[in-house]
Amino acid sequence: MEKETVSTSNEDAISDLMEQHDQFVGSMRSRLTKLQVIRRYWERNDVKGAIAAMEKMGDHAVLADVIRFFTEKTDIVTLDICTCLLPLLSVLLESHMDRHLGISLEMLLKVVRIYGSVINSTLSASSSVGVDIQGEQRLERCNLCFAELEKVKRFFPSLVRKGGSIAKSTQELNLALQEVI
C-alpha cells in the first residue's frame, strides 16, 4: 500500500513538472515570436515602429529584453524616441519582477542624464520670435518627456520600500531628476 502511495505521489509530481515545463516552453515560444516581430522593425531601422509594437504586445518580459538593448545602445535614443520610450518605461515600473524594475530604472537614469538638461533648458527658455518649426518640435517633445518623467516619480515611494538595488537605483534616479528637472 505504501509503495502505491509513493508511486502515485511520484506520478503526480512528474505530471505537475511536465505541465509546468509545457507552460514554460509555451511562454518562451511566445516571447521568441514577439522578439522576432521587434527584430523585423529593427532590421528596417524603424525604432519607433518597434516601440509601438512593444506597446501593443503588453509583455513586460519582451519589453525588458528590448529595453536592456537600449541601455547598451543609447546612441540610437533620440529625444523623439524618448517620447515613445518613456511611457513604456513607466509601464515596466508596474511589474512585480525586480529584473524589469532594474532595467527600467537603469534606462530612465540614462535618459535623464542624456536629455535632462536639454528638457530643462528647452522648457525654461523664453519663446522665440518668428517661426521655428524645429524649436517648436523640440519644445513639444520636451513637454512630453517632462510629463512622463513626472509620472515616473509616483512610483518612487513603493520602489524605495522594496529595498536593495531597486531602492538604490530609485534614489539615484530621484537625485538625477532633481538636478535637471
Side-chain angles (χ1 to χ4, degrees):
M1 177 88 161
E2 187 177 310
K3 195 171 192 172
E4 277 183 34
T5 306
V6 170
S7 177
T8 304
S9 175
N10 285 341
E11 286 175 18
D12 288 345
I14 291 169
S15 176
D16 288 347
L17 187 59
M18 289 303 296
E19 186 178 324
Q20 289 174 1
H21 172 75
D22 291 343
Q23 289 173 352
F24 175 76
V25 169
S27 83
M28 289 296 107
R29 281 193 182 122
S30 171
R31 190 166 168 184
L32 175 62
T33 301
K34 291 172 182 176
L35 286 169
Q36 288 170 332
V37 168
I38 302 300
R39 183 175 172 215
R40 283 190 216 105
Y41 284 100
W42 214 265
E43 288 169 345
R44 294 189 310 245
N45 293 320
D46 186 0
V47 177
K48 287 180 85 172
I51 292 170
M54 287 188 300
E55 185 174 20
K56 289 177 187 163
M57 289 174 187
D59 187 321
H60 286 171
V62 170
L63 191 54
D65 290 343
V66 178
I67 288 174
R68 168 57 70 205
F69 177 77
F70 278 113
T71 63
E72 297 166 10
K73 296 289 240 177
T74 55
D75 57 310
I76 61 172
V77 180
T78 63
L79 189 59
D80 189 31
I81 297 297
C82 283
T83 64
C84 306
L85 191 58
L86 285 171
L88 294 182
L89 294 172
S90 292
V91 165
L92 206 51
L93 290 178
E94 296 171 2
S95 174
H96 297 290
M97 294 190 64
D98 283 359
R99 175 181 175 268
H100 300 165
L101 298 171
I103 289 170
S104 180
L105 289 166
E106 180 182 355
M107 189 65 212
L108 283 162
L109 184 60
K110 288 184 180 200
V111 165
V112 169
R113 286 187 174 150
I114 295 168
Y115 290 107
S117 60
V118 172
I119 293 168
N120 186 20
S121 64
T122 301
L123 295 179
S124 60
S126 58
S127 50
S128 61
V129 177
V131 177
D132 180 5
I133 293 173
Q134 285 183 331
E136 289 174 18
Q137 288 174 339
R138 184 174 43 255
L139 179 60
E140 181 183 345
R141 290 173 182 147
C142 287
N143 273 319
L144 290 169
C145 289
F146 179 80
E148 284 301 321
L149 289 170
E150 285 294 314
K151 288 180 190 174
V152 163
K153 290 179 181 180
R154 76 175 193 256
F155 293 99
F156 288 179
S158 63
L159 292 171
V160 168
R161 281 192 301 273
K162 287 181 89 44
S165 64
I166 299 302
K168 184 176 181 254
S169 296
T170 302
Q171 291 166 340
E172 190 176 358
L173 175 58
N174 190 29
L175 285 174
L177 280 168
Q178 287 174 11
E179 288 175 12
V180 295
I181 295 182

